Amino acid sequence: MSGESKDPVKTICPYCGVGCGIQVAPGEEPGDMQFRPWADAPVNEGRVCIKGGAATEVVDHEDRLTEPLLKEDGEFREATWEEAYELIVEEMERIREEHGPDAMGFFGSSKTMNEENYLLQKLARRYGTNNVDNCTRMCHASTVWALRTSLGAGAMTNSMADLEQAADVFWIQGANPGEQHPIANSQYFRQAVLEGATVIQVDPHANKTTRSFEIEDTDRHMHLQLNPGTDIPLLNVVLKTVLENGWVDEEFVAERTEGFEHLEATLEDFDKEAAAEECGVPLEDIELAARKYAKANNAAIFTGMGMSQHACGVDNVQNEINLALATGNLGRPGTGVNPLRGQNNVQGTCDVGAMPNVLPGYQLVDDDEARESVEEVWGFEIPDEPGLTNVEISHAAGDSVHGLYVMGENPVMSEPDGNRVEERLEELEFMVAQDIFMTETAKYADVVLPATSWAERGGTVTNTDRRVQRMRPVQKVHDNTKHDLDILSEVGTRLFGEGFDFEDPEAVFEELRQVCPSYHGMSYDVLGEEGVHWPCYEPGDEGDPFLYEESFDTENGLGKIEGVTHQPPKEVPDEEYPLVLTTARLEEHYNTGTMSRRSPTLNRQHPENFVDVHPADAERYGIEDGETVRLRSRRGEIEVRAEVTDDIKEGVVWTTPHFAAASANRLTNDVLDERAKIPEYKAAAAEIDVGIEPADRGAADD
Ligand SMILES: Nc1nc2c(c(=O)[nH]1)N[C@H]1C(S)=C(S)[C@@H](COP(=O)(O)OP(=O)(O)OC[C@H]3O[C@@H](n4cnc5c(=O)[nH]c(N)nc54)[C@H](O)[C@@H]3O)O[C@H]1N2
Ligand SMILES: Nc1nc2c(c(=O)[nH]1)N[C@H]1C(S)=C(S)[C@@H](COP(=O)(O)OP(=O)(O)OC[C@H]3O[C@@H](n4cnc5c(=O)[nH]c(N)nc54)[C@H](O)[C@@H]3O)O[C@H]1N2
Ligand code: SF4
Ligand SMILES: [Mo]
């Protein structure tokens, strides 16, 4: 489907949503590829973080899937593509006949291209179900919900370059750009800080963001080290301080917002002292932070997983929107509420409709007019009820869901309560896994399809500030692997005859832009090397560096303020499980580690999981730094090395989801935010056992 090149090829880093441009030089042997900087790449001007520089290491890894596999009597055997396709079609047809179309679930992949996710969601809808989702559900689903309903679009309100130039205060709550978006941090935000901007970090854990801005060593910056799950009370202290001191932007509130009275009423009897106590942060520190934010010329909020991954995730982000709207920090350069999107293509995967409630361009499936406009292009009827989300699909496996098609996701490790996910997947009648490696999830599949990797194929991806960029193929490594797009095209054509046969990714993009209004003005030629920001309704539209200058994209054009009150995590510490467990990431590893654990440069830094324990807790439990402990919750246990450090708050333990041998998700709680259905990865109750022999620690990671 796509040509190959001998010169270095300009493409996009396959890891995070910053969307850095890199070059890849083909080697003597296929797969012998090398990283080269791309000096004038639009986002990063040649700079990369440790992951971008090491990205080629996984392309030719010995563990790559190279042949289709079929499970027979519980064992995988190599098979031909023909056998694999026949079985997929036969089983998908059988499931629809026996149980109806909603008995299938489809997982799209934010590691794959826009064209591929577009085709996957079209396939699901042609099959007759809206049960299609992607990892955004576990990520920024709550942020997107709050932004979409209160401001208009589920994306960053401002762009990185705009923030660098104009913001005076960065309010970073539950995000760690120093490690998770390193080039955004070093290239954009750090520059602003060098020029005088102030950073206020709200996080229970000190990390490389704290250190990159030397937050602890200056009077200018602040780190509010709150207890996990107390973000609403903390922001309510900030908001009440703003109200008490007359720092509200009255004109902005009057002209551009609605609901301010509701916020006032919510805060009327709010007790700041008690709330600060609940947060575990001195009241005067929160008040000082409020002053710094409210008094800035332009203040920008960054919001990450520490806010979104709670059962109250939507309300967490709504409260950030409340703060920005009340102080008039929206619709101008250097302001806004900004989620730095996670995966390299999570923004695009959502844009193209790989979600149960929306079609391409966020058109609601239950909006008749929108649905009909897409049906006109597709030529078939689209189901009009929103489908199940990915965690709901896993939970329904064996009950209402009997078949699952997983393209490039690893739910056994990434979804909460992994032990339960494994039990549910066992109950499926049929499962396909399409990946570049044999993942912990693929082991449960009946058919495993070997996909080509990011460096072997072309397509487009959309980064965190809505820039759609082209990825270009370098060379194919294994003969019998196939591009995700070709696989979906073949499955779709065999199942439905027409609507899935495209000559190349560009042909798919041409159809995609017809049904996705914010991409309508783009084409491969127009994207060129610079890419184009959406919204791009007509050819020539350049997209906007910041949104909502004149009005919000809501029905009446007003931004929605709505006061919210504290909702403690669904599971709080008690006698049996007295610690708060929270989970987050490391710079050198990536999500479920399928790629980073196989990358020598990345894996060298942290070859195994660990748990951060505060010195006071270590003393109470009698834990020595470096000793192996058992960390357990009501759902499971893992054995990990304890790192005794005051980076973490007392009473809180902090670990990561990156390692198969001791995954955080053996422990996490699978309760969901009611509206956005995001799991509460960031707060559960846990206990530590000491006196564990290191030899017991469990098998090394594969
Ligand atoms: N190196 C690397 N980069 C990545 C990824 C990776 O795995 N590795 N993953 C990518 C993806 S998919 C995503 S979504 C992004 C995520 O990027 P971030 O949003 O930065 O994600 P996390 O590191 O999970 O969590 C951010 C912070 O939330 C804090 N936190 C925990 N609980 C709470 C709480 O209750 N309240 C508050 N205020 N903070 C809390 C954690 O201590 C952590 O510092 O990163 C992307 N980039
Ligand atoms: N405890 C805890 N759990 C979490 C989080 C947390 O903070 N704490 N964060 C959550 C978040 S934000 C996210 S985004 C999810 C991520 O959850 P997942 O998306 O399930 O995790 P990844 O490890 O990114 O999985 C991507 C998969 O795609 C495969 N892949 C890579 N390239 C390709 C390709 O070109 N084609 C195909 N077909 N496959 C490919 C990889 O090998 C890998 O198996 O995890 C969530 N889980
Ligand atoms: S910041 Fe993100 S996109 Fe840029 S090189 Fe690092 S991982 Fe890749
Ligand atoms: Mo994510």
Side-chain angles (χ1 to χ4, degrees), residues 589-621:
H589 274 289
Y590 197 83
N591 287 1
T592 69
T594 58
M595 293 162 76
S596 59
R597 281 184 274 130
R598 292 187 170 90
S599 169
T601 306
L602 300 180
N603 197 48
R604 189 179 304 140
Q605 321 281 330
H606 293 281
E608 58 179 16
N609 204 3
F610 59 90
V611 56
D612 276 358
V613 181
H614 188 271
D617 294 321
E619 198 176 315
R620 272 193 305 121
Y621 281 91

Side-chain angles (χ1 to χ4, degrees), residues 507-552:
V508 179
F509 192 85
E510 284 300 309
E511 183 180 294
L512 152 64
R513 72 190 196 89
Q514 280 186 58
V515 290
C516 183
S518 51
Y519 284 48
H520 188 250
M522 299 177 194
S523 68
Y524 270 30
D525 277 350
V526 168
L527 292 178
E529 287 190 359
E530 291 291 307
V532 173
H533 293 273
W534 65 257
C536 176
Y537 298 113
E538 293 304 330
D541 282 3
E542 283 296 317
D544 301 316
F546 65 95
L547 303 176
Y548 316 130
E549 185 166 11
E550 304 289 335
S551 70
F552 294 98

Side-chain angles (χ1 to χ4, degrees), residues 347-361:
Q347 183 68 57
T349 302
C350 299
D351 295 347
V352 304
M355 291 202 284
N357 60 332
V358 294
L359 297 166

